[in-house]
Amino acid sequence: MLINEKVDIVALDAEAVRASVELASRVRPADLSRPTPCLGWTVYGLLAHMATQHHGFAAAARGDGDIAQWRLRSLGDDVVASYRDAAEHVLAAFAADGVLERSFPLPEIATGFAFPGRQAVGFHFIDYVVHSWDLAKALGLDVEFPPDLLEVALDVARAVPDGETRRAPGTAFAPALAWEGESRRLDQIVAILGRSPRWPG
């Protein structure tokens, strides 16, 4: 997955993460047990996964490839505050000088290999575009992104390998779904990455 060097992927990632924080701020205790488009995950499970990924990517930005950084974290008594803190942690890590020139060890994706910074931030970016959509759907809300962000997200989504590899346990995305409603870019993106834009229908 190559992201054009003219694209400010750190800024776009920050937009996606902040959208997820805004949605998380609307979560109430009664919402935590709601189902989400992520099979088997409740809202709490989704937020715990998202917070854990923030910490994992922040560690990777520092060159820390310890798999322990990716172990699922508890959100404690204040779920919203814990999620917000995790988001701020990764935003600060990605804002560091020269982050895109670094190599990111991402043991959840591949062991013994480090990814170029731009590519690694791109992985995080597409996750949080899609996970913001997941959270919005679970809460019965909408999430909107600017057209320039969605165009980059569409390019990244199309670059994610499809097929049988997405059926393996623990894969980030299910196989792509056919979707003809291409007038709405976000629906097209989530369908490419295995979500039904009509969820839960």
Side-chain angles (χ1 to χ4, degrees):
M1 178 186 70
L2 298 177
I3 296 174
N4 192 307
E5 291 188 2
K6 293 181 181 178
V7 171
D8 189 345
I9 192 63
V10 171
L12 294 180
D13 177 77
E15 285 189 69
V17 171
R18 290 190 183 106
S20 75
V21 171
E22 194 281 328
L23 287 162
S25 73
R26 301 175 71 174
V27 171
R28 299 296 176 261
D31 297 324
L32 294 174
S33 60
R34 286 180 179 233
T36 74
C38 296
L39 186 63
W41 284 352
T42 61
V43 167
Y44 179 90
L46 176 61
L47 288 171
H49 165 77
M50 292 162 69
T52 298
Q53 294 283 304
H54 288 325
H55 283 282
F57 272 92
R62 300 189 301 269
D64 183 349
D66 187 349
I67 191 64
Q69 297 286 355
W70 301 81
R71 288 184 188 139
L72 191 64
R73 292 169 178 258
S74 169
L75 297 177
D77 294 330
D78 193 333
V79 171
V80 173
S82 293
Y83 180 73
R84 186 185 306 113
D85 289 348
E88 291 300 329
H89 183 60
V90 77
L91 291 177
F94 284 3
D97 289 343
V99 72
L100 297 183
E101 284 69 55
R102 299 178 187 175
S103 293
F104 281 52
L106 299 173
E108 274 210 334
I109 299 174
T111 57
F113 179 79
F115 293 84
R118 182 174 294 276
Q119 185 179 27
V121 175
F123 292 156
H124 190 265
F125 162 68
I126 195 63
D127 274 355
Y128 286 85
V129 171
V130 175
H131 282 327
S132 292
W133 179 89
D134 290 332
L135 186 55
K137 281 288 188 180
L139 298 174
L141 302 171
D142 288 320
V143 61
E144 299 290 338
F145 292 109
D148 62 327
L149 183 151
L150 291 175
E151 288 304 314
V152 175
L154 181 59
D155 287 342
V156 174
R158 284 173 168 159
V160 176
D162 196 11
E164 289 303 310
T165 57
R166 292 207 204 165
R167 298 184 188 279
T171 52
F173 303 113
L177 302 176
W179 180 250
E180 296 178 358
E182 294 190 7
S183 61
R184 182 168 158 80
R185 275 285 182 262
L186 187 52
D187 287 348
Q188 188 181 5
I189 291 162
V190 299
I192 289 170
L193 297 175
R195 268 81 161 165
S196 171
R198 295 189 181 91
W199 189 91

